[in-house]
Amino acid sequence: GKEMGAFTVKGNFRISFSHSGDYFATNFLSEKHDKIIRLWDLNQFRVIKSLEPDIGYVNTILFTRDDRQLIVSSGHKTKMIDIASTRETKSLKPGASVRTMKLLDDDTHAMVYGYKKVIKLNLETGAQENISEIHNPDNWAWNDRFSQDFEYGLAVIEDDKKAFRLRHRKTDTAIRTFK
């Protein structure tokens, strides 16, 4: 493929791609803890909208399946933001400090990986379902990623930033370490 554009990032950043593939949203983490979420047009590689939800430090950004809203999390706060109006449409309390969130195929739920908890969150009602505790010896970092069925997790090991560990979430057993 052809390179469409590039940007320089100092430190970490959050990124989420729309389901249509036309847009992506970013939040750059710098010394100032940027609270602005930028919506980019992928075809023109330019920012088309900036959102500043009253949420603080951003941990997670997700597009809803229809690409009309963003789900944004920070600590114990999760908000749904209408992209067109940039207004909050819903405030949710996931019951854990959110590290990673994944929209499920039914469009009404998200799996939330919080500090020592995994929660199935109903996005329509805000109800917490299927809460499970995690006793993780790896002390998983902030950029954990999960398989489509949320059965397996891959995380940077905090003691060794160049290593990843694949774990089975339900049994909490290490399957393989990658260096």
Side-chain angles (χ1 to χ4, degrees):
K2 176 179 122 183
E3 182 178 305
M4 310 227 9
F7 49 82
T8 302
V9 177
K10 292 181 181 179
N12 296 322
F13 69 100
R14 306 289 183 240
I15 189 167
S16 179
F17 290 90
S18 67
H19 296 274
S20 68
D22 294 328
Y23 307 99
F24 66 101
T26 59
N27 171 257
F28 298 99
L29 305 177
S30 64
E31 294 173 12
K32 297 176 185 174
H33 297 295
D34 187 3
K35 297 175 186 175
I36 298 170
I37 296 170
R38 292 164 183 83
L39 184 64
W40 297 72
D41 181 306
L42 192 57
N43 296 312
Q44 298 177 24
F45 202 75
R46 66 179 182 91
V47 175
I48 57 172
K49 192 170 281 202
S50 293
L51 303 104
E52 193 167 356
D54 182 23
I55 200 161
Y57 181 86
V58 176
N59 289 342
T60 302
I61 307 169
L62 291 175
F63 280 88
T64 55
R65 291 255 188 263
D66 62 8
D67 292 335
R68 294 170 57 187
Q69 295 188 81
L70 288 175
I71 303 169
V72 182
S73 290
S74 174
H76 289 275
K77 297 178 192 173
T78 297
K79 295 185 178 192
M80 295 179 75
I81 310 293
D82 179 75
I83 294 172
S85 69
T86 69
R87 292 201 171 118
E88 178 183 326
T89 59
K90 196 172 285 186
S91 183
L92 304 165
K93 294 187 168 95
S97 182
V98 178
R99 292 183 173 195
T100 300
M101 185 180 292
K102 179 179 177 182
L103 191 63
L104 297 181
D105 289 335
D106 68 3
D107 292 338
T108 60
H109 291 83
M111 289 302 283
V112 176
Y113 175 75
Y115 181 71
K116 296 189 176 186
K117 286 184 182 179
V118 175
I119 300 164
K120 185 176 180 183
L121 181 65
N122 185 314
L123 297 174
E124 294 176 350
T125 66
Q128 301 170 21
E129 306 167 6
N130 301 335
I131 300 171
S132 63
E133 297 290 322
I134 295 174
H135 307 287
N136 190 342
D138 290 334
N139 205 6
W140 290 30
W142 289 93
N143 54 349
D144 309 327
R145 294 296 177 253
F146 292 91
S147 61
Q148 189 68 24
D149 60 5
F150 224 65
E151 191 79 12
Y152 299 93
L154 183 68
V156 173
I157 301 171
E158 286 188 352
D159 297 346
D160 181 358
K161 299 283 187 207
K162 296 178 183 172
F164 293 87
R165 184 158 293 139
L166 179 66
R167 298 187 71 81
H168 186 262
R169 186 185 64 78
K170 289 184 181 176
T171 62
D172 201 29
T173 55
I175 296 170
R176 185 169 180 191
T177 300
F178 303 91
K179 288 192 175 207

